[in-house]
């Protein structure tokens, strides 16, 4: 009251809370999540942020923070995290966030040792603050948000910058595209991408709004297949473009995607232990991403053997080909990969360290699965690739079966949950990030995308895989099931999937499966399993998009892919939350807007999902609409079950991330039949059914 | 003592705390963060610090008295104490934590125990000082005066 103390910066103004993100008074209203186990520091930083007119949410535990983020990825713009925390290493959290949500993360610590700061850099932190933190440092954190968004946009839009050699061969179109990154690309991509959803403008703030080419799972698979055919060293955008033969796809699009992919690969192989050779790495990446990565992880040693075995068993069961045997995981993947020519898969496995097996992400599984995907071998592959990036991240996630659960859930959340296309976003992000991040975060960037991808895959795949590997997953995912709760999003609901099986797909254990999908969402439904619908919402989009080719009755076709099923599933699943499925459809991924442009991938998903809406699910837009998401997820989950392929595919596709497994799973599914065969599950990975 | 006298006393007292190294610039930051919307901010934060530190000091004592000392754990506690003390500007406590961590690295139990003593001492000292400071502030406020900003 009578404190004459100088007022802090606060300017009394107005809107302290903006509510949905960037407000006009940006940076005021920036939504910050602070994680620190030290209550003193937390309070101080909270006050500082408050004084800067930011919207603050505090958290003393990393797990809680992660679940909050998963639940609603778009609820925050930036995260501040302490490095040393009792329940989870700050860097781990950083990785998770990067992969799953691709939000900018600033690390803080009283520790200013060079190696710790370096760790922050390599893990992808966009800044590192030394405690005690001063308000001046806090005031400027908004720059990271803007920078990230711009980079995403730029990365995404950028054409062929990586492929210098191709530059001269740019066609007029390309030239057009290349001339002005934003404008040109927008136009050209718009023109060219009839196949993808162009319109996803992620930019929600000051960034440019450019339609991005959405690298759907399918597209990515095709991309990866083409790259593999040509050989990663010889793959040039022009040739890839030719091989892919996708109307509307420009060389620039391919070039930038390739750049990201390469970065991703590099990261994967760099991160991974020498465990896999370049080829393997490729494969690995695929596998890792696929959610089946679990296997990968297992292989990489990340996953506990038993879990892996279980997974494998499960997978093996379901996926005839997958054969994710642990010991041979790599091999399997490799072989799978070779089949698929995915480069991604294995990476995850290899990246031992990365192998944080996403709880749901059967990374390892994926690679295998992919081959099976008849339908989308390519797309799957692409995911794999994409997944790679993700894989990296995922590996981290996949670490343990339990983590599987969580990871998956996390991922799933990321993927499904909040934003429907977390994966996508991530992927998108990663992609854009990859180039930029690679430099810095090295693996991190890739991780992030992969995480997302993985997650998505994981989730989805998890679901699928889970189903298949019910045994495996169940064992492992024991976590998964449990995960259903907040973290289990990843659970891929394998368990749930089975439930979802309503369609006929025998859902494995519980409905946890979906947990993966929308971590956030799943939780909502409480049914971890089917929750998927929620979480899947975003996913659905992906899948929907992906699925298009497949169009199973489920729905994938409509985007509502998931949704449709979800509808049915919903009833089955508990996902009660039939939030408007539509949400997912379009927006699910779109929600990722936050994520920015990258999310195109997801966007696709979203778009797809929106179709879902038709179902009535109205998948909410991924983002935060949790409530909606649940539907999506549910539908997703349901879908999974019913449409194992679809889902898987979608997932895979969506995930680009490399969820090779997903793809495979999806593919399998497609082939399969339906879920019934697949045990339901997430066979995404085990794509037995994948009609490869 | 009238209000202005109390205010003068407060200013002098605060200045001495800074001079003697009990408090550093970070404490000033805290004071500057305080505003009308949060008039007890500094007291709240410092109270949190006291609670947390006491817990940490107890944990440290326990950990160091184990037959087999887990230095990683000890280091983690010290690190945290260092972080929170530096955040509120308790400079001497922070410095003693730095020394403490060195002994942890060397896995020197004796050295650690000595440091713990030092930390405890510094902690209680600064606690007393701050409590006196707050008391003085409250008195001024109760008497209708305002708290002068100490630079």
């Amino acid at each position: 009251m009578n404190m004459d103390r100088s007022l802090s910066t606060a300017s009394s103004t107005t809107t302290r809370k903006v509510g949905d993100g960037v407000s006009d008074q940006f940076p005021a209203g920036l939504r910050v999540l602070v994680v620190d186990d030290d209550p003193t520091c937390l309070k101080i930083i909270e006050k500082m942020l408050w004084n800067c007119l930011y919207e603050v949410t505090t958290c003393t535990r990393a797990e809680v923070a992660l679940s909050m983020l998963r639940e609603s990825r778009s609820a925050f713009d930036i995260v501040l995290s302490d490095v040393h925390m009792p329940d989870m290493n700050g860097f781990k959290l950083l990785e998770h966030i990067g992969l799953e949500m691709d939000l900018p993360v600033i690390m803080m610590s009283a520790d200013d040792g060079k190696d710790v700061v370096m760790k922050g850099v390599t893990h992808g932190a966009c800044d590192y603050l030394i405690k005690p933190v001063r308000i001046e440092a806090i005031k400027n954190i908004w720059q990271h948000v803007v920078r990230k968004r711009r980079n995403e946009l730029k990365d995404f839009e950028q054409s062929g910058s990586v492929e210098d050699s191709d530059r001269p061969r740019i066609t007029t179109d390309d030239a057009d595209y290349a001339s002005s990154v934003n404008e040109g690309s927008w136009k050209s991509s718009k023109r060219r991408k009839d196949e993808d959803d162009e319109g996803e403008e992620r930019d929600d703030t000051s960034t440019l709004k450019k339609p991005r080419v959405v690298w759907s799972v399918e597209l990515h698979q095709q991309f990866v297949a083409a790259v593999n055919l040509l050989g990663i060293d010889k793959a040039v955008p022009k040739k890839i473009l030719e091989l892919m033969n996708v109307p509307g796809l420009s060389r620039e699009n391919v070039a930038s995607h390739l750049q990201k992919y390469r970065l991703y690969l590099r990261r994967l192989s760099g991160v991974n232990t020498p465990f896999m050779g370049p080829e393997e790495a490729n494969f690995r990446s695929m596998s890792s991403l696929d959610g089946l990565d679990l296997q990968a992880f297992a292989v990489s040693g990340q996953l506990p053997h038993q879990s892996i075995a279980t997974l494998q068993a499960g997978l093996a069961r379901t996926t005839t080909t997958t054969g994710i045997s642990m010991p041979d995981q790599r091999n399997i993947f490799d072989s799978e990969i070779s089949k698929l020519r995915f480069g991604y898969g294995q990476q995850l496995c290899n990246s031992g360290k990365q192998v944080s097996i996403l709880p749901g992400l059967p990374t390892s599984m994926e690679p295998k699965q992919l081959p099976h995907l008849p339908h989308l071998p390519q797309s799957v592959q692409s995911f794999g690739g994409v997944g790679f990036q993700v894989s990296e991240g995922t590996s981290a996630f996949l670490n343990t079966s339990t983590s599987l659960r969580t990871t998956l859930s996390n991922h799933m959340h990321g993927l499904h949950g909040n934003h429907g296309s977390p994966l996508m976003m991530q992927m998108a992000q990663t992609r854009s990030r990859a180039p930029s991040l690679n430099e810095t975060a090295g693996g991190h960037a890739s991780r992030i995308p992969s995480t997302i991808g993985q997650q998505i895959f994981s989730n989805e795949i998890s679901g699928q895989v889970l189903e298949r590997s019910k045994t495996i997953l169940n064992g492992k995912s024991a976590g998964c099931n449990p995960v259903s709760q907040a973290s289990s999003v990843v659970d891929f609901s394998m368990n749930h999937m089975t439930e979802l099986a309503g369609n006929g797909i025998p859902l494995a254990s519980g409905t946890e499966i979906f947990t993966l999908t929308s971590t956030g969402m799943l939780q909502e439904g409480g049914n971890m399993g089917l929750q998927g619908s929620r979480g899947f919402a975003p996913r659905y989009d992906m899948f929907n998009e992906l699925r298009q080719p497949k169009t199973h009755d489920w729905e994938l076709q409509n985007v509502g892919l998931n949704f449709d099923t979800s509808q049915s599933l919903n009833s089955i699943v508990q996902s009660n939350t039939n939030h408007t499925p539509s949400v997912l459809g379009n927006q699910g991924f779109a929600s990722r807007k936050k994520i920015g442009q990258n999310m195109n991938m997801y966007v696709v998903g979203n778009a797809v999902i929106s179709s879902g809406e038709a179902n009535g699910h109205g998948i909410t837009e991924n983002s935060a609409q949790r409530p909606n998401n649940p539907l999506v997820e549910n539908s997703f989950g349901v879908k999974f079950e019913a449409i194992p392929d679809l889902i898987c595919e979608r997932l895979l596709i969506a995930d680009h991330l490399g969820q090779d497994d997903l793809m495979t799973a999806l593919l399998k599914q497609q082939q399969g039949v339906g879920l019934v065969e697949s045990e339901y599950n997430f066979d995404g990975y085990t794509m037995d059914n994948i009609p490869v | 003592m009238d209000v202005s006298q109390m205010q003068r006393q407060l200013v002098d007292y605060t200045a001495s705390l800074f001079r003697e190294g009990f408090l550093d610039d970070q404490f000033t930051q805290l004071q500057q963060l305080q505003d009308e919307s949060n008039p007890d901010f500094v007291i709240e934060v410092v109270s949190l610090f006291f609670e947390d530190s006491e817990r940490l000091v107890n944990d440290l004592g326990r950990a160091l008295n184990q037959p087999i000392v887990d230095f990683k754990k000890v280091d983690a506690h010290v690190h945290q104490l260092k972080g929170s003390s530096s955040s509120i500007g308790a400079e001497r406590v922070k410095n003693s934590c730095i020394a403490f961590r060195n002994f942890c690295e060397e896995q020197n139990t004796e050295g650690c125990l000595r440091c713990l003593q030092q930390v405890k001492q510094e902690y209680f000292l600064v606690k007393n000082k701050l409590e006196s400071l707050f008391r003085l502030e409250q008195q001024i406020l109760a008497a209708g005066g305002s708290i002068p900003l100490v630079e």
Side-chain angles (χ1 to χ4, degrees):
Chain A
M1 70 186 133
N2 339 3
M3 301 295 212
D4 287 357
R5 303 236 165 124
S6 50
L7 284 184
S8 39
T9 49
S11 14
S12 64
T13 30
T14 54
T15 28
R16 268 199 180 219
K17 295 202 142 225
V18 185
D20 50 338
V22 180
S23 68
D24 331 331
Q25 287 104 4
F26 186 86
L30 197 69
R31 295 157 314 157
V32 187
L33 175 65
V34 190
V35 190
D36 194 337
D37 61 321
D38 183 347
T40 315
C41 294
L42 198 62
K43 193 176 172 72
I44 296 174
I45 293 180
E46 181 188 27
K47 187 67 166 76
M48 287 183 179
L49 288 164
W50 176 255
N51 283 8
C52 292
L53 302 185
Y54 294 149
E55 236 182 81
V56 190
T57 306
T58 59
C59 204
T60 56
R61 291 174 47 83
E63 298 286 351
V64 175
L66 255 183
S67 64
M68 276 203 288
L69 284 166
R70 287 189 179 145
E71 244 181 84
S72 171
R73 190 208 160 285
S74 63
F76 298 104
D77 297 307
I78 190 166
V79 180
L80 259 64
S81 171
D82 188 33
V83 168
H84 296 273
M85 290 189 286
D87 64 335
M88 189 195 289
N89 184 318
F91 293 122
K92 193 128 187 271
L93 177 66
L94 168 61
E95 274 179 13
H96 276 286
I97 296 177
L99 277 166
E100 294 178 41
M101 297 119 204
D102 199 21
L103 281 173
V105 183
I106 295 179
M107 302 304 291
M108 306 182 287
S109 181
D111 208 338
D112 59 352
K114 186 182 120 189
D115 42 356
V116 185
V117 179
M118 177 63 88
K119 245 182 139 183
V121 171
T122 54
H123 282 70
C126 50
D127 204 354
Y128 191 105
L129 303 177
I130 307 290
K131 286 183 180 175
V133 180
R134 297 182 66 92
I135 193 161
E136 293 83 23
I138 294 289
K139 231 192 315 181
N140 291 329
I141 63 175
W142 60 267
Q143 61 174 297
H144 301 292
V145 177
V146 176
R147 190 177 295 120
K148 191 176 192 45
R149 290 189 187 146
R150 288 177 59 85
N151 285 343
E152 282 167 21
L153 260 177
K154 225 176 348 148
D155 284 340
F156 200 83
E157 304 289 347
Q158 224 156 48
S159 56
S161 51
V162 187
E163 298 300 325
D164 290 315
S165 55
D166 289 347
R167 280 234 163 258
R169 300 197 287 263
I170 296 176
T171 61
T172 35
D173 280 351
D174 291 356
D176 183 59
Y177 178 80
S179 55
S180 51
V181 173
N182 298 338
E183 309 304 320
S185 55
W186 189 91
K187 284 191 282 205
S188 50
S189 34
K190 195 143 213 335
R191 258 182 301 123
R192 282 192 272 242
K193 294 245 112 250
D194 26 330
E195 177 180 83
D196 301 324
D197 252 85
E198 278 252 302
E200 310 289 346
E201 321 251 287
R202 286 278 163 214
D203 184 2
D204 41 353
T205 48
S206 44
T207 45
L208 325 140
K209 301 221 177 220
K210 291 196 274 257
R212 289 169 170 282
V213 169
V214 178
W215 280 90
S216 64
V217 173
E218 255 176 38
L219 198 62
H220 182 71
Q221 296 269 335
Q222 283 179 292
F223 170 81
V224 176
V227 169
N228 289 325
L229 269 171
L230 294 167
I232 190 66
D233 296 328
K234 297 210 173 45
V236 290
K238 186 145 186 205
K239 295 215 183 95
I240 297 171
L241 186 65
E242 284 164 16
L243 274 174
M244 284 174 72
N245 195 23
V246 169
L249 189 65
S250 77
R251 197 196 67 80
E252 269 80 21
N253 300 134
V254 174
S256 63
H257 190 71
L258 177 66
Q259 180 182 18
K260 297 190 175 107
Y261 181 55
R262 285 216 177 118
L263 285 164
Y264 172 72
L265 290 181
R266 217 176 296 142
R267 231 194 328 262
L268 283 170
S269 44
V271 177
N272 296 334
T273 48
F275 175 65
M276 304 236 224
E279 207 177 332
E280 287 183 294
N282 292 345
F283 286 133
R284 266 189 264 189
S285 1
M286 297 241 336
S287 31
S288 33
L289 294 175
D290 301 332
L292 285 180
D293 282 328
L294 275 184
Q295 299 251 344
F297 286 117
V299 177
S300 24
Q302 299 288 344
L303 280 178
H305 283 282
Q306 39 213 304
S307 33
I308 304 199
T310 354
L311 279 176
Q312 299 207 337
L315 289 175
R317 275 194 311 109
T318 47
T319 48
T320 50
T321 55
T322 46
I324 305 203
S325 43
M326 298 244 320
D328 285 323
Q329 289 243 318
R330 285 210 296 162
N331 300 338
I332 297 182
F333 287 116
D334 290 340
S335 52
E336 296 272 348
I337 301 202
S338 42
K339 284 205 261 181
L340 292 175
R341 313 273 259 125
F342 294 116
Y344 299 101
Q346 306 298 337
Q347 280 295 340
L348 284 178
C349 297
N350 298 318
S351 27
K353 35 184 218 199
Q354 306 248 353
V355 176
S356 31
I357 303 214
L358 289 174
L361 293 177
T363 42
S364 32
M365 311 252 263
E366 302 218 297
K368 296 198 196 215
Q369 303 289 351
L370 290 175
H372 300 292
L373 291 173
H375 174 71
L376 302 175
Q378 308 196 336
S379 19
V380 174
Q381 308 231 343
S382 37
F383 275 106
V386 180
F388 257 114
Q389 306 218 340
V390 171
S391 313
E392 288 202 272
T394 26
S395 357
F397 292 108
L398 291 181
N399 290 310
T400 43
S401 46
T402 43
S403 50
L404 280 174
R405 285 196 299 188
T406 20
T407 337
L408 286 175
S409 14
N410 292 335
H411 289 290
M412 296 289 292
H413 280 295
L415 296 172
H416 302 291
N418 315 320
H419 311 284
S421 40
L423 273 180
M424 301 272 255
M425 306 243 331
Q426 295 252 345
M427 299 241 330
Q429 293 264 336
T430 349
R431 289 214 276 179
S432 43
R433 291 215 326 167
S436 41
L437 284 177
N438 279 322
E439 278 75 62
T440 48
H444 187 70
S446 45
R447 265 200 301 268
I448 305 200
S450 26
T451 3
I452 307 194
Q454 300 242 342
Q455 289 207 323
I456 302 193
F457 280 105
S458 321
N459 293 335
E460 307 204 316
I461 302 198
S462 316
Q464 307 222 345
V465 177
L466 288 169
E467 289 300 351
R468 292 197 188 253
S469 40
K470 287 220 220 132
T471 49
I472 303 181
L473 287 175
N474 288 328
K476 285 176 67 109
S477 23
C480 291
N481 292 315
V483 187
S484 46
Q485 311 304 294
S487 49
S488 24
V489 172
V490 174
D491 276 11
F492 282 131
S493 334
M494 301 249 321
N495 302 315
H496 294 292
M497 296 286 289
T498 35
E499 307 206 328
L500 288 181
N503 294 302
I505 304 183
L507 286 178
S509 34
T511 44
E512 307 288 343
I513 308 202
F514 284 102
T515 21
L516 285 179
T517 42
S518 43
T519 38
M521 309 235 287
L522 286 178
Q523 316 235 337
E524 306 214 323
N527 309 298
M528 292 299 293
L530 292 184
Q531 297 231 341
S533 9
R534 276 216 271 218
F536 284 106
R539 290 217 162 261
Y540 282 100
D541 291 332
M542 300 208 290
F543 278 52
N544 289 327
E545 302 263 318
L546 293 178
R547 296 277 321 138
Q548 306 199 344
K550 307 214 41 181
T551 50
H552 285 271
D553 302 347
W554 283 65
E555 250 4 286
L556 285 185
Q557 311 205 346
N558 317 310
V559 170
L561 176 82
N562 295 319
F563 295 110
D564 292 320
T565 15
S566 23
Q567 300 265 345
S568 43
L569 287 175
N570 287 319
S571 46
I572 301 180
V573 195
Q574 311 201 346
S575 31
N576 358 305
T577 33
N578 286 304
H579 297 292
T580 43
S582 47
V583 176
L584 278 184
N586 310 321
Q587 305 302 320
F589 292 106
S591 4
R592 295 308 303 261
K593 289 213 191 163
K594 278 273 186 124
I595 303 226
Q597 304 87 24
N598 294 330
M599 298 299 305
N600 294 320
M601 300 239 344
Y602 288 37
V603 178
V604 178
N606 292 330
V608 177
I609 307 219
S610 21
S611 336
E613 299 195 359
N615 294 325
H617 285 294
I619 305 217
T620 46
E621 305 228 342
N622 353 341
S623 26
Q625 316 240 0
R626 281 218 280 176
N628 296 327
N629 288 333
L631 280 187
V632 178
E633 291 205 320
N634 288 326
S635 36
F636 198 72
V638 176
K639 283 204 169 273
F640 262 105
E641 303 282 324
I643 315 186
D645 320 306
L646 292 176
I647 302 189
C648 288
E649 281 193 340
R650 296 241 171 212
L651 285 178
L652 289 174
I653 305 203
D655 290 272
H656 283 315
L657 294 186
Q659 306 272 356
D660 292 335
D661 294 335
L662 271 178
M663 301 282 302
T664 1
L666 284 178
L667 289 178
K668 277 175 116 61
Q669 300 284 348
Q670 300 210 339
Q671 296 198 334
V673 145
L675 303 176
V676 189
E677 291 204 71
S678 38
E679 298 243 77
Y680 195 92
N681 348 290
F682 274 102
D683 271 39
Y685 293 100
T686 41
M687 318 253 218
D688 296 6
N689 308 319
I690 300 195
V692 182
Chain B
M1 197 182 320
D2 67 355
V3 175
S4 56
Q5 268 180 312
M6 287 195 284
Q7 282 172 332
R8 237 187 340 266
Q9 195 181 6
L10 178 66
V11 171
D12 290 342
Y13 189 61
T14 310
S16 73
L17 291 184
F18 279 93
R19 210 171 32 243
E20 292 165 23
F22 287 102
L23 297 177
D24 64 20
D25 186 52
Q26 189 64 17
F27 188 77
T28 312
Q29 289 252 316
L30 286 195
Q31 290 178 317
Q32 286 170 349
L33 277 178
Q34 187 161 287
D35 56 18
E36 279 146 11
S37 69
N38 215 329
D40 293 321
F41 179 68
V42 181
I43 291 181
E44 283 170 13
V45 175
V46 172
S47 306
L48 268 178
F49 169 69
F50 289 160
E51 271 171 38
D52 209 36
S53 303
E54 266 158 52
R55 177 184 58 82
L56 282 169
V57 164
N58 287 338
D59 288 346
L60 276 168
R62 246 195 317 271
L64 284 171
N65 282 320
Q66 298 292 319
I68 310 269
V69 177
D70 181 355
F71 283 101
K72 265 183 122 173
K73 199 156 171 222
V74 173
D75 185 71
H77 287 319
V78 178
H79 176 78
Q80 176 152 357
L81 186 59
K82 176 181 164 205
S84 50
S85 58
S86 68
S87 291
I88 69 148
E91 195 184 334
R92 277 156 68 144
V93 176
K94 178 190 76 175
N95 290 341
S96 53
C97 285
I98 294 176
F100 198 149
R101 288 193 90 194
N102 289 336
F103 282 108
C104 282
E105 262 181 56
E106 296 171 17
Q107 309 228 335
N108 183 340
T109 310
E110 267 308 306
C112 284
L113 280 167
R114 271 201 308 272
C115 278
L116 179 61
Q117 275 312 106
Q118 176 85 8
V119 165
K120 271 191 191 169
Q121 214 176 322
E122 292 298 345
Y123 165 74
F124 283 116
L125 265 175
V126 80
K127 183 171 183 207
N128 286 339
K129 303 254 178 214
L130 284 170
E131 281 171 347
S132 304
L133 189 81
F134 293 140
R135 233 183 344 260
L136 206 46
E137 277 182 1
Q138 295 302 314
Q139 282 171 358
I140 294 174
L141 292 173
S146 58
I147 309 297
L149 194 56
V150 182
E151 285 303 337

